[in-house]
Amino acid sequence: MDTKQIEYILKIAEENNITKASEKLYITQSALNQQLLKLERELGTPLFHRSRNHCRLTEAGQIYVDGAREILKIKNSTYNRLYDVSHAGKGVLTIGLTPGRGLRIFTAIYPELHRCMPNLSVRPVEMRVRDQQKALARGEIDLGFMTLCSQDRTGDEYVVLGSEEMVVIVPSGHPLAQKAAPPGMPLTVLDIQELRYEPFVLIENHSTFRTVCDTAFAQLGFTPDVLFETNNTASIVAMVESTFCCGTIPWYYVRTPSPRLACFRLPNHPSWDITVSYSKSSYLSLGAKTFINLAKLWWDKI
């Protein structure tokens, strides 16, 4: 099999559309369609059910895609092993990064990673934790930078960089703000029931941080009055600073105190783990190990 052809078919399956796939692959729609038709003639069966604007895998197409992903995983693993044995410092490292913090850690780590392994090709991909877990299973990424609690883990390997507590934030003008600890002092523990009549902005339901929030609130017998849900933690901070509501966020986002916020801990101290994850069945290359070590150093410094 031609691995380039495999990549073409996988992209069509991912996008469910030949036009969108051709745009992502930077080839013409006609050229991509010809590659698909050529393969289908060779196999003697269609790989996709086609409509005007949609492609859906046939049974044969699903078999091909499953096998194709395994082939690419074997190819990538083999090449990385060879590069490590030859001490070439080459290879490709694809890393899943959460929006916001994931990109920040990458920009902090990459200069040193490039200095250590200048011939390593690094491909950062922004995606949420659950999408990273799916991508690891399909062999589409080598590592995933993930923030999650134990109940959201899959059967993959998780290297824990550290743990982080959830905090409650209220506008600095809120009456409860006067109970907050002074800057530089340990945060005051808040009875969350004091906010039972206040509107909250929370992270969306599909986020692993929402698991932390919902579990913590349930343990405390608290049901927040949800004004708004967002997929961006920075939006929660901005809305609370604008005095619209209260919110819950990871400690990382308030490690530098804001004069417009008051921060509190909860009595059950809910937390999650900062991790780098990889598939148990994959080969952990020298580039991947180097990234993990640099990520550990990064977390220790913040």
Side-chain angles (χ1 to χ4, degrees):
M1 283 186 178
D2 178 1
T3 56
K4 179 60 70 175
Q5 188 180 61
I6 286 176
E7 291 170 4
Y8 288 165
I9 304 305
L10 289 179
K11 185 57 68 174
I12 297 174
E14 179 184 331
E15 298 294 333
N16 295 313
N17 183 285
I18 291 179
T19 301
K20 291 181 180 178
S22 66
E23 292 171 353
K24 295 288 181 67
L25 292 165
Y26 300 103
I27 63 174
T28 66
Q29 179 181 342
S30 175
L32 182 58
N33 194 52
Q34 287 301 314
Q35 287 290 330
L36 173 58
L37 292 172
K38 176 184 176 183
L39 178 60
E40 289 179 328
R41 286 195 298 269
E42 176 187 326
L43 297 175
T45 185
L47 299 181
F48 293 92
H49 297 292
R50 297 169 174 81
S51 63
R52 182 178 179 85
N53 296 309
H54 189 76
C55 291
R56 179 170 53 86
L57 286 170
T58 62
E59 182 179 359
Q62 188 62 59
I63 293 171
Y64 179 92
V65 164
D66 291 343
R69 285 174 176 150
E70 289 301 314
I71 289 170
L72 288 185
K73 287 170 69 174
I74 293 170
K75 176 191 172 184
N76 292 338
S77 176
T78 301
Y79 273 64
N80 283 330
R81 287 173 184 268
L82 289 170
Y83 289 138
D84 285 355
V85 167
S86 65
H87 306 289
K90 296 173 65 177
V92 177
L93 180 64
T94 305
I95 307 171
L97 300 165
T98 52
R101 183 183 358 205
L103 294 177
R104 292 192 189 102
I105 181 177
F106 178 76
T107 55
I109 288 174
Y110 180 74
E112 182 62 18
L113 180 63
H114 179 67
R115 188 191 69 77
C116 295
M117 304 187 69
N119 296 320
L120 178 69
S121 177
V122 183
R123 298 174 181 171
V125 184
E126 187 178 41
M127 57 177 67
R128 300 201 168 276
V129 170
R130 301 191 197 283
D131 292 331
Q132 288 187 44
Q133 291 171 329
K134 294 174 184 176
L136 281 174
R138 295 193 295 259
E140 295 171 354
I141 60 175
D142 302 300
L143 297 175
F145 175 76
M146 302 183 188
T147 45
L148 73 177
C149 54
S150 57
Q151 66 198 79
D152 284 322
R153 293 190 184 189
T154 60
D156 297 314
E157 293 286 353
Y158 290 86
V159 179
V160 178
L161 307 180
S163 62
E164 175 183 52
E165 195 167 326
M166 172 184 121
V167 298
V168 176
I169 54 176
V170 302
S172 57
H174 192 282
L176 281 176
Q178 60 184 331
K179 294 185 178 183
M185 298 296 291
L187 297 183
T188 300
V189 175
L190 177 71
D191 178 359
I192 193 67
Q193 297 297 338
E194 294 192 66
L195 294 175
R196 61 188 178 278
Y197 300 122
E198 301 291 340
F200 270 74
V201 57
L202 299 178
I203 203 71
E204 64 179 353
N205 271 316
H206 298 299
S207 168
T208 51
F209 187 63
R210 186 60 179 270
T211 303
V212 179
C213 296
D214 289 347
T215 301
F217 289 150
Q219 290 174 349
L220 296 170
F222 178 73
T223 303
D225 176 13
V226 181
L227 171 69
F228 184 71
E229 293 180 335
T230 178
N231 60 10
N232 190 324
T233 306
S235 297
I236 298 177
V237 175
M239 289 191 69
V240 176
E241 286 182 331
S242 298
T243 72
F244 284 115
C245 50
C246 304
T248 57
I249 57 175
W251 165 84
Y252 173 86
Y253 291 90
V254 290
R255 68 195 192 284
T256 301
S258 166
R260 292 181 288 174
L261 294 176
C263 305
F264 298 91
R265 301 174 77 185
L266 290 174
N268 52 349
H269 305 295
S271 64
W272 65 354
D273 293 329
I274 314 299
T275 72
V276 178
S277 181
Y278 59 92
S279 171
K280 286 183 177 179
S281 62
S282 68
Y283 171 69
L284 197 61
S285 68
L286 178 59
K289 292 176 182 177
T290 302
F291 179 88
I292 292 172
N293 288 333
L294 291 173
K296 290 178 180 177
L297 293 173
W298 169 82
W299 178 256
D300 289 342
K301 291 178 181 177
I302 68 169

